[in-house]
Amino acid sequence: MKQEGYAIHDQYATYFLTFQVVDWIDIFSRKIYRDIAIESFDYCRKEMDLKIFGYVIMTNHIHAIMKSPFGKLSSNIASFKKFTAVNILKKITEIHESRASWMLKRFEIATYKRNLKSNHQFWTTDNQPKECFSRSFLLQKLNYIHQNPVRAGFVDLPEHYLFSSARNYSNWLAVMEIDLLDI
């Protein structure tokens, strides 16, 4: 059962979201899979007008701050998750991923546990949405996102992590465009 605090109540509002891979599988430890997530973010920005104010792609989850100016945030999130799941699962088999058998079995078990009709569940169902109800909360979540790779010990400074919007906010070369906040 979904907790009341973890629901998107306002489709037009800005939300801090967490997209978690089932069983915390470290899929994004490979660049090829991170690139699929970036491609999907780019598509959502350009084709769905989704506003992405911040993001970080960690090994087994993604944090993002997003807003849909057309009130379709849940739909945009579903599209993002579906695109990334379908394409990552396809890529796992195409490139002869060394962990393919193990990962696909975990994704299959997750589907079985939830009684879903698909063959594999890639993402968990709860995005843990938290509405950014104030500027200070929004900036706190943006800082949390940017500090994630530092806390994980991947880098010393947030802007050194390639798959994070910290680079955009530092005017460094970034892997994708975002919608910069005036901070």
Side-chain angles (χ1 to χ4, degrees):
M1 175 176 250
K2 192 176 274 197
Q3 295 177 354
E4 183 62 26
Y6 285 152
I8 296 177
H9 298 289
D10 182 351
Q11 293 292 320
Y12 291 93
T14 301
Y15 279 86
F16 169 79
L17 302 150
T18 301
F19 308 121
Q20 177 190 327
V21 180
V22 296
D23 291 344
W24 293 98
I25 294 173
D26 285 324
I27 192 81
F28 297 115
S29 58
R30 305 251 203 280
K31 182 181 180 301
I32 194 163
Y33 306 125
R34 290 188 305 255
D35 288 345
I36 292 170
I38 294 295
E39 180 184 349
S40 184
F41 273 145
D42 278 338
Y43 178 85
C44 289
R45 282 189 73 246
K46 292 172 184 164
E47 301 301 322
M48 298 179 201
D49 291 320
L50 181 68
K51 301 298 180 199
I52 301 173
F53 301 114
Y55 76 94
V56 65
I57 302 174
M58 299 300 287
T59 62
N60 52 23
H61 67 284
I62 296 173
H63 291 298
I65 298 174
M66 302 172 144
K67 176 182 181 158
S68 172
F70 299 108
K72 297 181 179 181
L73 186 58
S74 292
S75 174
N76 292 159
I77 290 167
S79 294
F80 169 80
K81 289 174 76 172
K82 181 178 181 179
F83 178 89
T84 54
V86 166
N87 285 285
I88 288 171
L89 290 167
K90 181 180 174 192
K91 192 62 76 176
I92 287 171
T93 58
E94 285 178 356
I95 66 167
H96 306 292
E97 161 71 55
S98 62
R99 308 169 297 163
S101 174
W102 171 79
M103 287 191 301
L104 292 172
K105 189 65 172 170
R106 299 304 314 152
F107 298 143
E108 184 181 326
I109 290 169
T111 301
Y112 177 76
K113 285 180 183 176
R114 294 198 39 83
N115 232 0
L116 301 175
K117 293 180 181 171
S118 64
N119 294 330
H120 299 95
Q121 180 183 351
F122 182 81
W123 298 107
T124 60
T125 55
D126 186 8
N127 303 317
Q128 300 179 20
K130 295 176 181 72
E131 186 175 346
C132 296
F133 53 86
S134 70
R135 181 169 173 73
S136 63
F137 186 78
L138 175 65
L139 294 177
Q140 174 195 20
K141 292 304 178 189
L142 186 63
N143 185 55
Y144 176 85
I145 285 172
H146 292 164
Q147 289 297 322
N148 221 266
V150 176
R151 283 189 305 277
F154 297 158
V155 292
D156 292 328
L157 297 171
E159 56 271 13
H160 289 172
Y161 192 67
L162 186 60
F163 292 92
S164 166
S165 58
R167 297 175 69 86
N168 301 79
Y169 284 98
S170 296
N171 291 318
W172 287 29
L173 183 62
V175 295
M176 70 175 240
E177 289 182 41
I178 63 163
D179 302 282
L180 290 168
L181 295 167
D182 183 21
I183 54 175

